[in-house]
Amino acid sequence: MAADQAPRRDSGRRDDSGNSRRVESSQTGPHEALRARLQRHAKGQFDKPIADYNRAAFDTVARRVADDGRPLILDSGCGTGDSTRELARHYPDHLVVGVDRSADRLARQRDDTPPNCLLTRADLVDFWRLARQAGWHLSQHYLLYPNPEPKARHLKRRFHAHPVFPDLVALGGRIESRSNWRIYLEELAIALAFHGRQTRLSTLEAQPRPLTLFERKYQASGQPLWCLETIDVPHLPDDRDDSPGR
C-alpha cells in the first residue's frame, strides 16, 4: 500500500458471537518513528491528485451542507452508517455526514435514516482535503474503530501517520476516536498534541447502544475499549497552515 493511499477502516462482517480476536502487535508502545513522520508531513504539502469521483461526491455533500446551515458533524469511515444514524438521532440540531469508501457497506439497508443524516461514498484522503479547501469548520469529528494496522512496519497506514493528517486537524471541532487497541489512541494523542490539540484518553465503559458493529462485537467479546477525545477549543486558521501548534 502506497503512503498516499487512504488508511483503512477495520473490515469484516457483523459478528455478535463474542469471538472477536484482540489486536496483536509487536509494538509495546507508540511507534518510535511517529514523531519524525509528523514533522515531515508538517513541512511538506500533500498534493496527490484528487480523483474525479471523490470531487463529485464532495460537491454533492457540500451543496447540502451549504443549504442546511446547521453545525456539522463528520463521521469518517462510517462503514454501514449505523454510527452516523445514531449520531444524527442524538444531535437533531446538527447535520451529520458519514463518509466511507465501501459501496457495499453503505448499501446495507437500515429501517430508519434520520433526515439530518447524509451518507456518501468517498476516499477520506480526498474528502478531508476538499473539506479543508472549502473552509469547513466542524462541530465534531468521529473516527470510530479505524483499522489499527497493528504491524509496526505499517505505521504509515494509520490515520495519524498519513500525510493527510494536517488536513484532518485543520477541520477543527471536537475530535473523538474509539479503538480496541490502546496504542493506536496513544499515537493519535501524540499526533494531535503535535498540532496543538489537548486530549483525554479513557476507558470506554460498556455502551447500551454501541455506535458501530465493531463496538458491539468487541464489547460482546469482553475486550477493553478506549476513547480518545479532544478537550480544548481549537483555533481555526483562515488559510492553509501546516505548522505545528495550530
Side-chain angles (χ1 to χ4, degrees):
M1 181 176 182
D4 60 354
Q5 287 182 303
R8 298 175 297 164
R9 178 157 179 164
D10 199 354
S11 59
R13 298 185 181 278
R14 179 168 178 165
D15 178 7
D16 296 332
S17 63
N19 295 321
S20 299
R21 292 187 300 174
R22 296 174 184 249
V23 176
E24 297 180 357
S25 175
S26 61
Q27 280 189 231
T28 58
H31 201 291
E32 60 184 11
L34 175 60
R35 287 181 174 84
R37 292 192 66 85
L38 291 169
Q39 291 169 355
R40 183 163 65 251
H41 296 158
K43 293 176 181 177
Q45 182 169 331
F46 183 45
D47 55 3
K48 173 181 174 285
I50 292 174
D52 290 341
Y53 86 91
N54 289 322
R55 193 178 297 277
F58 179 80
D59 288 346
T60 298
V61 173
R63 286 192 291 270
R64 170 72 182 276
V65 169
D67 291 341
D68 190 280
R70 283 177 288 186
L72 181 60
I73 295 174
L74 185 60
D75 183 14
S76 289
C78 66
T80 59
D82 286 353
S83 54
T84 317
R85 295 179 179 90
E86 187 65 24
L87 290 168
R89 285 189 282 268
H90 191 72
Y91 296 101
D93 55 343
H94 288 64
L95 178 64
V96 186
V97 175
V99 182
D100 198 272
R101 70 179 185 178
S102 170
D104 175 67
R105 286 194 288 268
L106 287 170
R108 297 180 193 178
Q109 297 299 311
R110 296 293 187 266
D111 293 335
D112 177 42
T113 297
N116 63 322
C117 171
L118 179 61
L119 301 173
T120 190
R121 176 178 177 262
D123 187 315
L124 288 170
V125 165
D126 286 356
F127 195 91
W128 287 335
R129 288 186 292 158
L130 289 167
R132 182 178 186 179
Q133 292 170 17
W136 280 18
H137 296 327
L138 303 180
S139 171
Q140 300 184 57
H141 194 175
Y142 287 84
L143 303 165
L144 300 172
Y145 302 93
N147 190 328
E149 297 289 358
K151 293 182 179 180
R153 68 177 183 272
H154 291 160
L155 169 66
K156 64 184 180 181
R157 296 183 179 181
R158 301 170 195 166
F159 284 137
H160 44 267
H162 191 277
V164 80
F165 190 72
D167 296 281
L168 180 160
V169 177
L171 297 178
R174 173 185 170 276
I175 299 171
E176 178 175 332
S177 185
R178 299 181 183 182
S179 180
N180 62 331
W181 193 36
R182 183 185 175 100
I183 290 174
Y184 184 94
L185 296 182
E186 291 174 349
E187 289 186 350
L188 178 56
I190 291 170
L192 287 168
F194 178 85
H195 287 279
R197 299 299 307 271
Q198 300 175 36
T199 59
R200 174 174 56 228
L201 178 59
S202 59
T203 301
L204 183 68
E205 302 299 333
Q207 304 294 300
R209 294 178 63 92
L211 276 177
T212 74
L213 298 179
F214 298 109
E215 186 165 293
R216 181 178 293 114
K217 71 177 185 178
Y218 298 149
Q219 191 170 289
S221 300
Q223 294 191 31
L225 303 177
W226 292 274
C227 175
L228 181 76
E229 55 189 332
T230 54
I231 56 174
D232 56 3
V233 178
H235 166 67
L236 296 175
D238 294 327
D239 52 16
R240 188 175 183 89
D241 176 9
D242 284 339
S243 61
R246 176 179 300 112

